[in-house]
Amino acid sequence: MARKSETTTARSKRTPSAKSKTSKGKGGKPKPSVGADDIVQTVKVAPAKAAAPSAGVAAALGGAAAAVGARGSVRVYRQGLGDCILLRLKRGKGQKDFKLLIDCGVVLGTSNPAEPMTRVVNDIVSTTEKFIDVLAITHEHWDHLSGFIQAGPAFKPLKVGEVWVAWTEDDKDPLAQELKSELGKAEKALAASATALHGIGESDTAAMLEDLAATSFGMGAAGATSTRAAFDIAKKMADPKPPRLCRPTDAPIEIPGLNARIYVLGPPHDEKLIRKINPTGSAPETYALALGGGGVMPLGVASALRLDDAPDEDVPFHQRVSIPLDLGKDHEFLLEHYYKEGDWRRVDGDWLGPAAELALALQSYTNNTSLVLAVELGDPGKGDVLLFAADAQVGNWESWQTLKWPGAHSEVTGPDLLGRTIFYKVGHHGSHNATMKEHGLEMMTTLRAAVIPVDEVMAIKKRWGHMPLGAIVDALTKKVPEGYFLRTDQTPNKPGQGVIVSPDYVEVPF
């Protein structure tokens, strides 16, 4: 689909808070391949209306002033608080572009979500001419998956070459099954909590649990409108071909017809790191320190909600002085003073408080299972890198420091890929524990563009704190050339050369 030769500027639909307002800164072995059944698509990305960058900035952007989007572009959709990203890599004149779609969703509580998600999917279908090479689903959260339900009919014309998911979806992997069991029990407990809350007229509290867990229970954890149901739909988009299970130990995946390849950085196949969601208090690795460092499930929550199928070893009273609830109903005194007089006398109802903590833990735990991809353009060990970090948190990021991929001419490492990163899709909407500092952003010494998919007004409404975190916004503002650090909830005054800003997406050329 040809595009008008100009940069479209959209009015901002949201008003960010003053605290995190963006300020302007200063400006060999055979390797597996991706299926190549594309459809020809030529994209014309013309100069923006904004003033041309200085010679220094143009040089830093790889000659953007002379050849805007010569290699491709990243389109980040503006559907609200959620991720939907379309990467295009040009194979050359008369050849078919490589197209990678990463996630497609918007957060629970979005007003009339089917409308923006259908608009997004219609654009994807149109601009890709009904074909994408790869659909990558990073993790099981509603704001990354909802579109597969909300815009289901719009997806029908789209053909998908391959679906990629993380190794955590491998039914034969013991660690994957252990994680899935833990998460599944937690989600079922929360879904039961939500159902009970609906039953006593506490629908707002039930909705809060879904918000905190960043997942839709959809009439139960396995319901037709649940997050798992959306994930299952997405995994079948390339039927009958099963999803590729991606691991950091995989060889780089070569893209046919291009001197380019994709590295899998995460999630780590490490029981300790995949459970590390927050920075440590003694040596914080991120731009802010969260309360409660390394654990996933808050103390006592797992036993209180019976996640481990074990006896109640952590309940407040010893078995010798306890009576099971079912037996208690037959005791005349307890029936009169315990069950009849209301919940204020009951200790067992206190689990509803920890349920909120569990929901938060479930969200972070799932975030850290994110599939993280690094796209290398050019010769191995030398080319520019595009980093798509999904919602990866501390342990996921830390694992990249030890990754190595041996090659015929040079060895590629995780830190090396970070050092050559020119585009960064900011992790987890700019939250406090999803962009590492010393082992993350500070290593991106060649960073030229970054985009945060975020809706700060919605994040405030959900009481999710600082999203995006002001310190991360400040660091990116200083690091990235003016006009190339973008937020999907704001419209820049001066978008960078070739940057396209429309009501439905922002697009960065490279």
Side-chain angles (χ1 to χ4, degrees), residues 303-304 306 311-319 322:
S303 61
R306 297 292 187 93
D312 268 339
E313 296 177 352
D314 292 323
V315 294
F317 307 118
H318 192 276
Q319 289 181 347
S322 302

Side-chain angles (χ1 to χ4, degrees), residues 314-458:
D314 292 323
V315 294
F317 307 118
H318 192 276
Q319 289 181 347
R320 290 176 57 188
V321 294
S322 302
I323 299 175
L325 288 174
D326 290 339
L327 295 179
K329 292 178 180 178
D330 297 327
H331 195 289
E332 183 177 347
F333 176 83
L334 293 177
L335 188 63
E336 177 67 21
H337 298 284
Y338 183 82
Y339 291 95
K340 186 177 179 180
E341 292 191 13
D343 289 348
W344 70 273
R345 287 185 178 269
R346 300 176 57 168
V347 175
D348 61 287
D350 283 355
W351 67 272
L352 288 175
E357 296 181 52
L358 176 64
L360 280 170
L362 177 62
Q363 177 190 150
S364 294
Y365 201 170
T366 305
N367 281 338
N368 218 26
T369 65
S370 285
L371 174 63
V372 180
L373 302 176
V375 182
E376 184 181 46
L377 311 173
D379 294 338
K382 298 179 180 178
D384 292 336
V385 173
L386 316 174
L387 178 61
F388 300 93
D391 287 358
Q393 300 192 344
V394 173
N396 201 323
W397 280 80
E398 283 188 354
S399 71
W400 310 345
Q401 293 298 307
T402 58
L403 293 179
K404 296 179 180 179
W405 295 271
H409 303 290
S410 63
E411 181 177 74
V412 175
T413 68
D416 171 47
L417 291 172
L418 287 172
R420 291 185 283 117
T421 294
I422 65 166
F423 174 89
Y424 172 39
K425 194 294 293 184
V426 179
H428 195 216
H429 321 296
S431 67
H432 77 278
N433 58 352
T435 295
M436 295 283 278
K437 190 175 183 180
E438 182 180 355
H439 288 164
L441 193 55
E442 289 181 357
M443 298 185 75
M444 300 181 200
T445 55
T446 61
L447 189 64
R448 305 169 194 171
V451 179
I452 306 181
V454 71
D455 182 339
E456 187 174 5
V457 170
M458 177 61 80

